[in-house]
Amino acid sequence: MAIEHDYFGLVGDYWSERKEYGDQDVEVVLDADGDGVSMAALDAAATMVGELELIDDELRSAFVTQLDSASSPVVRFLDVLLDPDLEQADEVDAAIGRESGDRQIDALRSMSLVRVDLRPDADEPGDAFAEFEFALAPEDTDERLIAAIDVEREIVDVRFEG
């Protein structure tokens, strides 16, 4: 059974929309069974869509805090992409639009948010309510840095896929 939401419309399976802010074009996806979600969870998901830029900034700040740990997914992601021997090294260099002198920070600031997956059926604190997928030179590389947050916007997982 589907339910009707003011923002998402008829919720019963899959909803997708492209959102633009700044110079980013982000695919936002809501994957939910109309029977398994509450109106409050859908409202929280709609709020997240409206605050993508703010959440993006919060996540990038959290990524910076992980630079101190060599085993963090953020550092592993950057190690792969900033390797001068990477086949797409020129494309990655071109994607880094800032030159502060700290290459890792410049890369984090230059990443694109490419996709947001909303899962309103995971609406308990600690559940992966939304996943934010970031890439550097997304057209040229397959490596992704993914941050999962709960309904209260606390990070529950960060992983590197590539």
Side-chain angles (χ1 to χ4, degrees):
M1 184 173 160
I3 66 172
E4 185 89 21
H5 187 265
D6 290 341
Y7 183 81
F8 297 109
L10 197 60
V11 176
D13 190 21
Y14 185 85
W15 174 93
S16 176
E17 182 175 278
R18 302 222 51 100
K19 292 298 231 176
E20 291 188 26
Y21 69 89
D23 60 350
Q24 298 187 91
D25 179 36
V26 182
E27 179 183 20
V28 180
V29 174
L30 179 107
D31 197 2
D33 177 8
D35 293 334
V37 298
S38 69
M39 196 60 73
L42 291 171
D43 290 343
T47 298
M48 283 188 182
V49 172
E51 297 179 347
L52 283 181
E53 190 168 0
L54 177 63
I55 297 169
D56 180 340
D57 288 342
E58 291 169 357
L59 291 172
R60 288 173 198 257
S61 293
F63 293 157
V64 170
T65 66
Q66 292 192 14
L67 292 176
D68 292 337
S69 172
S71 64
S72 77
V74 174
V75 171
R76 287 184 287 137
F77 171 78
L78 292 173
D79 284 349
V80 168
L81 285 174
L82 299 179
D83 182 348
D85 294 329
L86 182 70
E87 184 177 320
Q88 301 89 354
D90 291 339
E91 290 84 353
V92 169
D93 282 341
I96 297 175
R98 301 164 193 249
E99 292 294 329
S100 71
D102 186 327
R103 192 150 165 77
Q104 288 182 320
I105 297 290
D106 293 341
L108 290 177
R109 288 184 177 152
S110 299
M111 288 187 309
S112 297
L113 175 61
V114 293
R115 182 179 167 108
V116 176
D117 284 307
L118 301 166
R119 297 188 181 101
D121 54 335
D123 61 349
E124 295 295 320
D127 289 348
F129 185 81
E131 286 193 345
F132 286 69
E133 181 179 318
F134 295 87
L136 187 60
E139 303 297 324
D140 301 307
T141 62
D142 294 329
E143 288 73 22
R144 299 293 186 259
L145 186 61
I146 300 170
I149 61 173
D150 67 9
V151 71
E152 296 171 350
R153 293 183 13 190
E154 296 294 324
I155 295 176
V156 296
D157 184 40
V158 176
R159 68 184 185 277
F160 163 51
E161 292 183 0

